[in-house]
Amino acid sequence: MDLIRNRFLLVPFLVVFLAFCLDKLLLLENVHTYFSKSLSDINYIQKHQLYEDLKVYLSNKDRDKVLVCFGNSRALLFDNEYIHRKYPGWVMFNFSVPGGKPDYVLQWMEQFHKDNVKPDFFLFDHSVEMYNSAATLKVDETLTNGLNVSFVLKHFSLFSTDDISTLIAKRMFRAYQYRPKLEVIITRAKNKESFLFPYRELRNSLMENLNRGKGSAMTPGTHQSVLPAELLKKSAIGDFHSYLVPFQFSESILSFTNQSLELAKQLGVPSAVIWVRLSLPYMDHIRNLKVSVGEGKVDTVYHDWFPRMVAYHNQNGIPFWNMNDDPNYTCNNFSDAGHMSPTCYDEYTDYIFKNLIQSFVKGAR
């Protein structure tokens, strides 16, 4: 009765509710494209169709062997036509997404396990940056684009308070994530032929290419060809300080990866984890520059992180494909410090499939 008499107390709740409803309008594609500048969300949206396509493909009697790849922006550009020519009998379904982290991978692996979906091989990713819980620049795309709230609640103890705050702020209110600018909206509204329609076409074509490439496609503007040496050095020091200084090893990330690998075992599907090649100047910083690694200690990122990975893989018998310490891998063309140029992807593919085939030969013995 007091609430009815004092209806003004409902005003804050009404304002929040209306703001929430208005915010949801921003997710409509034809509204979203008036201010959005990113294409990465398309990769996340497409993975749901990819999963349905995978289930249909696995049901075919006369199918090729299926490699399912879980990675990040370092694994977006594979070419199934090249795989088919060079490694007949294999096809890749690529679940890699920009900013892909082990939490997002585990969410998918729980779905694979629930539906009893069994490809022939899982390839997971070890990105050293993802293991840093103290990075200056946070990688939060899986929180904003990929994770279900129910998944976060289920694994609540593995997420930091910052993660939960980001999820609430950017998932409940997309305006906070996209920060729509009136100037951009007006420009696109006035110049639809020059700005709005081409951007919509980019999004549509990316979705088509991802469907055609079974999850692999180049996002326009994300990967240039080959960065000159001097610019690569600048990119390397910038990325190092943004993502790895200071460095605090995240046990939560290792837990997500471990749970995914355990689910792969339960499905009876062999798996491996890859550390994708980084540029030489970036790796030089990782190997040699000393940073704070927590508990008052100073060490190199490599010396703090790498032995933990080796110990984990030795203890659990999971193959660890280390591209950064493999003298037989020689392509060092990079678009920026952490992304191999598209010109390296044939060799990158060869590296994966040679290790994959060796794993199958060992398993057959």
Side-chain angles (χ1 to χ4, degrees):
M1 293 297 292
D2 289 339
L3 192 60
I4 293 176
R5 286 198 300 267
N6 301 289
R7 293 178 182 175
F8 67 90
L9 295 175
L10 294 173
V11 172
F13 297 99
L14 180 61
V15 170
V16 171
F17 176 73
L18 292 175
F20 181 82
C21 293
L22 180 61
D23 186 82
K24 299 310 110 182
L25 293 175
L26 299 179
L27 298 181
L28 298 174
E29 182 71 8
N30 284 343
V31 176
H32 176 260
T33 50
Y34 274 94
F35 56 83
S36 172
K37 297 180 181 179
S38 174
L39 297 171
S40 64
D41 61 310
I42 297 294
N43 288 271
Y44 285 87
I45 295 168
Q46 190 270 339
K47 294 303 173 277
H48 298 283
Q49 182 59 52
L50 181 66
Y51 184 64
E52 297 304 317
D53 293 344
L54 172 62
K55 288 191 290 185
V56 171
Y57 187 81
L58 290 173
S59 68
N60 296 333
K61 292 183 178 179
D62 300 322
R63 64 170 178 85
D64 292 336
K65 288 187 176 68
V66 174
L67 165 64
V68 166
C69 179
F70 288 107
N72 50 46
S73 56
R74 293 171 182 159
L76 297 179
L77 312 181
F78 294 108
D79 182 357
N80 268 307
E81 290 186 8
Y82 177 80
I83 293 171
H84 181 71
R85 289 196 309 272
K86 192 77 178 285
Y87 305 98
W90 279 98
V91 63
M92 176 189 287
F93 280 73
N94 193 355
F95 282 78
S96 303
V97 291
K101 293 174 69 176
D103 50 9
Y104 179 72
V105 175
L106 178 57
Q107 180 174 277
W108 272 116
M109 285 301 297
E110 289 181 349
Q111 189 66 49
F112 275 65
H113 186 263
K114 177 183 176 183
D115 297 340
N116 199 36
V117 174
K118 298 181 180 182
D120 296 279
F121 201 91
F122 285 116
L123 180 59
F124 302 100
D125 173 83
H126 273 331
S127 288
V128 60
E129 299 89 347
M130 301 302 178
Y131 281 86
N132 186 14
S133 62
T136 302
L137 187 61
K138 299 288 186 181
V139 180
D140 63 7
E141 286 188 85
T142 56
L143 280 169
T144 57
N145 290 320
L147 295 185
N148 298 324
V149 174
S150 59
F151 174 84
V152 176
L153 292 175
K154 178 180 178 181
H155 300 279
F156 191 82
S157 63
L158 295 177
F159 290 93
S160 68
T161 53
D162 285 344
D163 291 335
I164 302 302
S165 296
T166 298
L167 181 74
I168 293 172
K170 293 188 176 182
R171 291 291 287 277
M172 285 189 66
F173 294 97
R174 290 290 185 167
Y176 178 73
Q177 177 185 352
Y178 292 112
R179 315 285 174 88
K181 293 184 178 180
L182 185 60
E183 179 184 357
V184 175
I185 295 171
I186 292 174
T187 299
R188 291 185 182 180
K190 287 183 176 180
N191 303 278
K192 292 182 179 180
E193 297 291 339
S194 301
F195 296 103
L196 181 64
F197 295 154
Y199 177 57
R200 287 179 177 173
E201 179 57 32
L202 271 178
R203 290 176 65 84
N204 291 335
S205 63
L206 176 57
M207 179 65 82
E208 292 172 3
N209 290 338
L210 285 167
N211 286 330
R212 190 180 306 115
K214 293 181 171 57
S216 296
M218 184 181 294
T219 301
T222 300
H223 297 271
Q224 302 303 318
S225 185
V226 180
L227 200 65
E230 287 304 313
L231 292 178
L232 190 59
K233 290 179 182 178
K234 291 181 180 179
S235 176
I237 196 66
D239 279 11
F240 182 73
H241 283 281
S242 294
Y243 298 111
L244 294 171
V245 180
F247 185 80
Q248 180 67 56
F249 184 82
S250 173
E251 294 289 348
S252 295
I253 293 298
L254 184 57
S255 178
F256 285 127
T257 298
N258 182 63
Q259 289 181 66
S260 291
L261 289 165
E262 284 299 317
L263 289 175
K265 285 182 180 179
Q266 291 177 27
L267 284 168
V269 178
S271 59
V273 186
I274 189 170
W275 184 19
V276 177
R277 186 80 158 192
L278 303 174
S279 68
L280 296 181
Y282 191 22
M283 276 303 302
D284 184 64
H285 300 329
I286 291 171
R287 292 182 197 278
N288 300 310
L289 294 186
K290 291 190 175 183
V291 302
S292 170
V293 294
E295 299 180 353
K297 298 178 182 178
V298 174
D299 207 339
T300 67
V301 173
Y302 185 88
H303 188 259
D304 187 76
W305 177 79
F306 186 68
R308 299 175 193 258
M309 297 298 100
V310 173
Y312 172 81
H313 284 275
N314 287 341
Q315 181 179 349
N316 293 280
I318 305 294
F320 181 22
W321 302 347
N322 178 6
M323 295 182 77
N324 289 289
D325 293 317
D326 192 330
N328 296 316
Y329 186 82
T330 58
C331 192
N332 285 304
N333 297 332
F334 280 78
S335 301
D336 58 38
H339 294 89
M340 274 184 282
S341 163
T343 60
C344 280
Y345 262 75
D346 285 355
E347 283 190 56
Y348 182 6
T349 303
D350 291 341
Y351 178 88
I352 288 173
F353 275 87
K354 285 176 182 176
N355 280 281
L356 174 61
I357 292 168
Q358 287 176 8
S359 293
F360 267 80
V361 170
K362 289 179 182 178
R365 290 175 181 172

